[in-house]
Amino acid sequence: MSTKNQPISGNDLARFSGPNTFMRLPSVNDLKGLDVAVLGIPMDIGTSWRSGTRFGPKQVRSESAMLRPYNLATGAAPFDSLQVADIGDLAINTFSLSDSLRIISESYDAILKYDAMPLAIGGDHSITLPILRAMAKRHGPLALVHVDAHADVNEDMFGERETHGTVFRRAHEEGLINPKKTYQIGLRGTGYSAEDFSEAAGWGFQQFPAHELWGRSLASLGAEIRRDIGDVPVYVTYDIDSLDPAYAPGTGTPEIGGLTTPQALELIRALKGLNIVGGDLVEVSPPYDTSGNTALTGANILYEMLCVLPGVAYR
């Protein structure tokens, strides 16, 4: 793979046609030679309120046809230096959450036998737990940048210990993440108790509630996180509901008072230089945004994550 894959240009083939892959990149089954493998995990059986994230990967890919290869704001040219392709969707069991989580973990075990860094399109946030299980096998406990309206540290939900609201309690209990290098950004909303967030802070999680970020640039916060993490392998998980529903209404558990899209871009761009080993974009629920804007925003966030990966060339 000496020639790097490039998105199909909108001047060569109209953007409303062509393959429904991320940014209209090639679809491949062989991961050999890839630097980045984009994959979909179309699942919503781990969600607790509004379903529909099973349609997230398809619509994020569809809206990503609007994106072009060069980042005019930062100069990033990811496709000049990284071999990127779309490896399709994982075949989850749509009738069983527990079996789906097993499938995700085992699929990632197989993916991580290669050098390709996985970037996942969700799907609800429960997909991140089995991903972290597989990632930690290869890299050890990970630093974590978690952008979300919710801390997702519930003990259980309806008696179930593995759901989209329990992910990071389980990840902490299982030693998958380094609690002192775990950063939760954008937290807000109402809670079940006063301890909803504070317990995780006691574990060492560093939390940045949305109301403390209103009206300010997140570039400095991202830079602080980058310096704090250093060269430790880091996983980035971005829940679209971190954004205010004015920007991203198409999600299952919206909370008002969230981040803006410029803040999201500032934060991600400030992570350049981290040893990012994987990432995901979750909780896009197309039925709640018929305009497609939430999925378009999700596609842009994934692209920005791609732009700050190790090895990306800048022009």
Side-chain angles (χ1 to χ4, degrees):
M1 289 190 178
S2 57
T3 301
K4 298 292 189 292
N5 296 332
Q6 295 289 327
I8 297 174
S9 171
N11 293 318
D12 294 330
L13 182 65
R15 297 189 182 280
F16 47 78
S17 58
N20 190 39
T21 57
F22 185 70
M23 292 184 68
R24 303 198 299 176
L25 287 161
S27 175
V28 305
N29 294 318
D30 185 0
L31 277 66
K32 186 177 181 180
L34 290 184
D35 297 306
V36 181
V38 180
L39 66 149
I41 308 179
M43 189 180 81
D44 58 14
I45 48 178
T47 195
S48 58
W49 178 228
R50 306 193 307 196
S51 60
T53 55
R54 66 181 63 189
F55 302 111
K58 186 179 292 291
Q59 194 182 35
V60 169
R61 286 185 173 112
S62 178
E63 297 297 336
S64 76
M66 181 63 188
L67 302 181
R68 303 171 186 87
Y70 294 99
N71 192 321
L72 296 180
T74 67
F79 304 105
D80 286 3
S81 47
L82 299 179
Q83 186 70 302
V84 188
D86 193 319
I87 63 170
D89 289 344
L90 300 189
I92 60 98
N93 181 343
T94 195
F95 297 109
S96 171
L97 177 57
S98 60
D99 192 42
S100 292
L101 299 185
R102 177 193 61 79
I103 291 168
I104 295 168
S105 184
E106 291 179 358
S107 297
Y108 264 71
D109 286 341
I111 292 169
L112 293 172
K113 291 178 180 178
Y114 298 85
D115 292 328
M117 197 215 74
L119 269 183
I121 313 170
D124 69 67
H125 219 153
S126 61
I127 70 170
T128 305
L129 178 60
I131 291 173
L132 290 174
R133 285 170 174 159
M135 300 292 289
K137 289 180 187 177
R138 175 163 181 174
H139 300 286
L142 299 153
L144 181 73
V145 177
H146 171 208
V147 192
D148 201 328
H150 311 97
D152 295 345
V153 291
N154 293 317
E155 174 61 39
D156 58 63
M157 303 183 80
F158 289 93
E160 298 295 327
R161 291 173 54 81
E162 295 178 340
T163 75
H164 76 158
T166 63
V167 174
F168 301 105
R169 179 182 288 268
R170 298 288 93 81
H172 170 60
E173 291 171 347
E174 296 177 22
L176 309 179
I177 55 177
N178 182 340
K180 293 183 179 180
K181 293 187 181 294
T182 293
Y183 310 84
Q184 298 188 308
I185 303 150
L187 305 181
R188 63 189 187 278
T190 52
Y192 294 105
S193 73
E195 292 74 37
D196 275 17
F197 296 158
S198 61
E199 184 180 9
W203 305 338
F205 288 17
Q206 298 185 51
Q207 298 176 326
F208 303 89
H211 67 268
E212 296 180 1
L213 305 175
W214 291 343
R216 58 169 280 197
S217 168
L218 297 193
S220 59
L221 173 59
E224 291 170 12
I225 291 172
R226 186 182 68 245
R227 288 192 295 268
D228 195 24
I229 290 177
D231 60 0
V232 174
V234 58
Y235 189 86
V236 180
T237 179
Y238 200 103
D239 189 324
I240 203 71
D241 73 22
S242 64
L243 298 173
D244 190 275
Y247 298 92
T251 191
T253 48
E255 305 279 4
I256 68 166
L259 305 181
T260 67
T261 47
Q263 285 180 312
L265 299 183
E266 289 174 328
L267 177 63
I268 295 170
R269 290 170 182 176
L271 301 181
K272 177 189 174 187
L274 284 176
N275 181 20
I276 299 172
V277 295
D280 62 52
L281 181 283
V282 297
E283 298 286 358
V284 171
S285 187
Y288 294 97
D289 184 0
T290 55
S291 73
N293 282 343
T294 303
L296 176 63
T297 301
N300 275 271
I301 288 171
L302 275 171
Y303 171 73
E304 293 288 341
M305 290 169 62
L306 184 64
C307 286
V308 298
L309 296 182
V312 168
Y314 277 70
R315 293 188 177 278

